[in-house]
Amino acid sequence: MSFRLRVLGLLMLVAMAATAATAWLTLRQANLQVRESVTAGRQEVSRITGDLRAYGFAHGTWEGLSPTVSRLAEDTGQRIRVATENDVLLADSDALEGRAPAR
């Protein structure tokens, strides 16, 4: 085998190894980011439901819930809709901000 072919083969091997390593690192980082995003989403939902539950326990009624929903929506950047089991709307952060509530 000639020297040129051996060098070409070695260069191709190095290029393939570098490409494989880059792909593996990218996939690993993407998986980590997805896991962190899901965890953050769950923590946010837990915080929202915890605050709403605490409001219900403290007041014994949903009267005056709107400021709490507005604050939570502003803090989290999420739309918050509170409704009864019969789908009677108690508070909707879209409506409180003057936007048409989404379904």
Side-chain angles (χ1 to χ4, degrees), residues 21-91:
T22 302
W24 178 77
L25 287 172
T26 301
L27 181 62
R28 184 172 169 217
Q29 185 65 26
N31 283 336
L32 179 64
Q33 291 293 327
V34 167
R35 270 190 245 118
E36 287 176 358
S37 177
V38 167
T39 301
R42 286 181 184 157
Q43 289 172 345
E44 205 166 74
V45 168
S46 292
R47 176 181 169 223
I48 292 168
T49 55
D51 285 2
L52 292 174
R53 191 174 292 127
Y55 181 91
F57 284 137
H59 294 88
T61 180
W62 295 115
E63 298 288 326
L65 178 66
S66 297
T68 302
V69 170
S70 293
R71 179 184 51 80
L72 286 170
E74 185 178 321
D75 290 349
T76 62
Q78 300 291 322
R79 174 188 179 224
I80 300 173
R81 181 179 185 271
V82 182
T84 65
E85 291 175 347
N86 300 328
D87 207 30
V88 175
L89 184 63
L90 300 173

Side-chain angles (χ1 to χ4, degrees), residues 15 54 92:
D92 189 325

